[in-house]
Amino acid sequence: MRPLPGLTLQEMEAWLAFLKAHAEVTALLDRELLDEHGISLAGYEVLAFLSRAEGRRMRMSDLAGAVLISPGAVTRRVEALEARGLVTRSRSTGDARVVEAALSEAGSEVLKQLTPTHVRGVRAHFVDQLSPRELQVVAKALWRVAGSCEAAGSP
């Protein structure tokens, strides 16, 4: 493989490995959740973030930032979950211009069913593929990259 102009072969290998691993792992996690529960990884992420939020509710804009997607995309995800009774949407009591999503009791119960499948997949497709030392190095390096992007003004 020839690297892109401006990247060494080692840099190109690291970049492509990151992209490939992310795509493959997330595709497997998505397929497992869909096959076993009929809910996508994207749906799981929305439910999981809402479950950890104060009062199990978040502003839609904050939820979009947490799951790393556009506000329009989070609206579509929340609408699909709302149609299944797993989340609700309402105007904020503090600011009527703000729409919040909240995890319903049914959503909380479904999340309890989804989580073991998700954790099993994360373990099988990521955690168990690395030694404890590799996990530590990967986490430290990727948090540094994420921090650099945030400091540069990533959305």
Side-chain angles (χ1 to χ4, degrees):
M1 166 186 20
R2 292 184 47 204
L4 290 172
L7 293 178
T8 66
L9 185 57
Q10 180 182 22
E11 292 165 342
M12 185 74 169
E13 280 288 324
W15 175 243
L16 292 176
F18 165 74
L19 292 176
K20 178 74 170 168
H22 178 267
E24 294 291 337
V25 170
T26 55
L28 284 168
L29 296 174
D30 188 56
R31 187 175 73 230
E32 290 166 354
L33 286 167
L34 282 167
D35 288 351
E36 294 182 36
H37 305 283
I39 294 181
S40 68
L41 177 59
Y44 173 83
E45 289 174 344
V46 167
L47 297 175
F49 274 101
L50 288 174
S51 76
R52 293 190 296 268
E54 185 176 336
R56 299 187 331 176
R57 66 186 318 107
M58 292 177 77
R59 294 167 47 130
M60 291 288 285
S61 59
D62 293 339
L63 183 57
V67 297
L68 308 174
I69 58 174
S70 71
V74 83
T75 296
R76 289 186 296 279
R77 287 183 186 172
V78 168
E79 285 173 347
L81 294 169
E82 187 176 33
R84 295 176 75 162
L86 305 180
V87 300
T88 60
R89 282 185 297 168
S90 60
R91 296 278 174 196
S92 170
T93 56
D95 184 347
R97 298 170 297 175
V98 174
V99 176
E100 295 178 329
L103 185 67
S104 69
E105 286 303 319
S108 183
E109 290 304 312
V110 166
L111 182 61
K112 288 176 187 174
Q113 297 168 15
L114 298 173
T115 299
T117 301
H118 180 67
V119 170
R120 183 182 70 231
V122 169
R123 179 161 298 288
H125 309 308
F126 181 72
V127 174
D128 291 348
Q129 303 306 312
L130 302 169
S131 71
R133 176 70 181 132
E134 289 169 325
L135 285 168
Q136 183 180 36
V137 169
V138 166
K140 184 176 180 181
L142 292 178
W143 280 119
R144 186 171 61 244
V145 170
S148 172
C149 293
E150 286 175 358
S154 70

